[in-house]
Amino acid sequence: MMLLRTTVSIRLWSNSLASSPSFITSTTSPTVAATPFKTKSHSPLVAFPNYRSTLASPRCTVSDSDSLKFQEMAAEDAQDHRLAKIASAIRVIPDFPKPGIMFQDITTLLLDTQAFKDTIDLFVERYKDKEISVVAGIEARGFIFGPPIALAIGAKFVPMRKPNKLPGKVISEEYSLEYGTDTMEMHVGAVEAGERALIIDDLIATGGTLGAAIRLLERVGVKVVECACVIALPELKGRERLGDNPLFVLVNAPGA
Ligand SMILES: O=P(O)(O)OC[C@H]1O[C@H](OP(=O)(O)OP(=O)(O)O)[C@H](O)[C@@H]1O
Ligand SMILES: Nc1ncnc2[nH]cnc12
């Protein structure tokens, strides 16, 4: 299958602004060539009607704020068949939840038992010897990937929730969306100063959500070892909002 090289509008949304007609629109070329490292095209399997493949770059990447460049993460043997299958198991639904948005839908990844397992395994292989005591999962889709990783590496799982969901005493962190703000909360006492955390979410777009999670954990003295996502939308430059904290990503999705 050929890579699509059309130019599309990138639009983001926020749940709190679901009815607002005002959201960021930027124009870019959503091709794998936009990523600052060499990529291979692949032929995603199209097993579901009415969606487009991510056409994603099937490589693990890790980035840090020093260079703000994505670098190939691992040795060649880590760029294995698992990444291409994971990329092709993520479907893209155009115009959801609003016109112009290319929704990266991980529910199809969850239907593919091998691809889902491979996703968890890739994270577990990376973090199992990093002395991580806390996996902090971001609502809602970080709650899908975080717990199996936490169990496998022997860490506790801490939910980072939208406001007024946690019943105990919380600390909160506001973060900016494309228009307006949202708030993330964490239970007081869930973590202790000196612990080492991994933050997990399904996707990084602008980086506002992960940035808030980092600030919450750092405020109580926790060391954020790394942020990890299944998918990144590199054109939205979310990496730049994470300060010095490294970001590890399995799939780069163009033009989402
Ligand atoms: O990098 P950002 O621009 O902050 O966006 C990334 C966030 O957006 C999505 O969640 P969403 O806000 O849609 O919430 P939901 O998972 O509860 O639906 C996604 O799961 C990330 O958490
Ligand atoms: N394109 C996208 N797909 C899924 N979740 C998102 N969160 C922000 N942008 C998104």
Side-chain angles (χ1 to χ4, degrees):
M1 186 180 292
M2 296 279 292
L3 288 182
L4 297 178
R5 288 181 178 271
T6 52
T7 296
V8 299
S9 293
I10 296 176
R11 292 178 178 180
L12 297 180
W13 77 94
S14 71
N15 288 342
S16 57
L17 294 169
S19 60
S20 167
S22 173
F23 45 89
I24 287 178
T25 301
S26 65
T27 303
T28 187
S29 296
T31 69
V32 291
T35 55
F37 50 79
K38 282 191 190 163
T39 59
K40 277 189 285 194
S41 63
H42 66 284
S43 301
L45 299 174
V46 178
F48 302 88
N50 192 32
Y51 79 94
R52 283 201 240 157
S53 158
T54 58
L55 299 175
S57 154
R59 287 177 181 265
C60 294
T61 59
V62 64
S63 62
D64 60 49
S65 62
D66 291 341
S67 62
L68 293 182
K69 276 164 100 179
F70 286 89
Q71 302 160 349
E72 287 188 25
M73 179 278 299
E76 279 304 308
D77 61 355
Q79 310 303 334
D80 60 31
H81 62 282
R82 293 182 292 182
L83 291 169
K85 290 199 168 149
I86 291 165
S88 63
I90 298 163
R91 72 175 164 180
V92 179
I93 300 189
D95 301 322
F96 181 87
K98 293 180 179 179
I101 294 168
M102 302 291 283
F103 190 83
Q104 306 288 319
D105 180 17
I106 53 89
T107 66
T108 46
L109 172 62
L110 307 178
L111 299 176
D112 183 333
T113 54
Q114 189 60 54
F116 185 23
K117 181 177 186 306
D118 287 345
T119 302
I120 301 303
D121 287 350
L122 280 161
F123 289 128
V124 170
E125 287 162 19
R126 182 168 177 82
Y127 297 114
K128 63 180 187 313
D129 297 321
K130 297 278 183 6
E131 297 179 348
I132 288 164
S133 58
V134 182
V135 173
I138 295 178
E139 187 172 355
R141 288 164 265 165
F143 293 0
I144 297 169
F145 298 101
I149 298 166
L151 288 172
I153 67 175
K156 62 189 175 186
F157 179 75
V158 173
M160 313 290 268
R161 293 218 64 177
K162 302 205 182 230
N164 306 313
K165 297 287 188 184
L166 292 169
K169 191 173 175 198
V170 297
I171 58 169
S172 308
E173 192 67 41
E174 244 186 33
Y175 58 101
S176 60
L177 301 164
E178 60 270 27
Y179 181 71
T181 60
D182 205 346
T183 303
M184 183 180 297
E185 296 185 342
M186 178 177 72
H187 265 146
V188 170
V191 292
E192 290 171 17
E195 288 200 87
R196 289 166 57 80
L198 166 67
I199 303 176
I200 297 278
D201 204 352
D202 68 320
L203 177 143
I204 177 169
T206 66
T209 307
L210 280 178
I214 291 167
R215 291 195 299 281
L216 267 183
L217 290 162
E218 289 184 341
R219 267 171 57 188
V220 292
V222 170
K223 162 81 179 158
V224 175
V225 175
E226 196 154 271
C227 299
C229 293
V230 180
I231 309 160
L233 311 182
E235 291 156 14
L236 299 178
K237 303 190 188 305
R239 159 63 270 167
E240 294 175 16
R241 291 177 76 176
L242 306 187
D244 290 334
N245 300 279
L247 170 69
F248 175 70
V249 165
L250 299 185
V251 172
N252 286 301

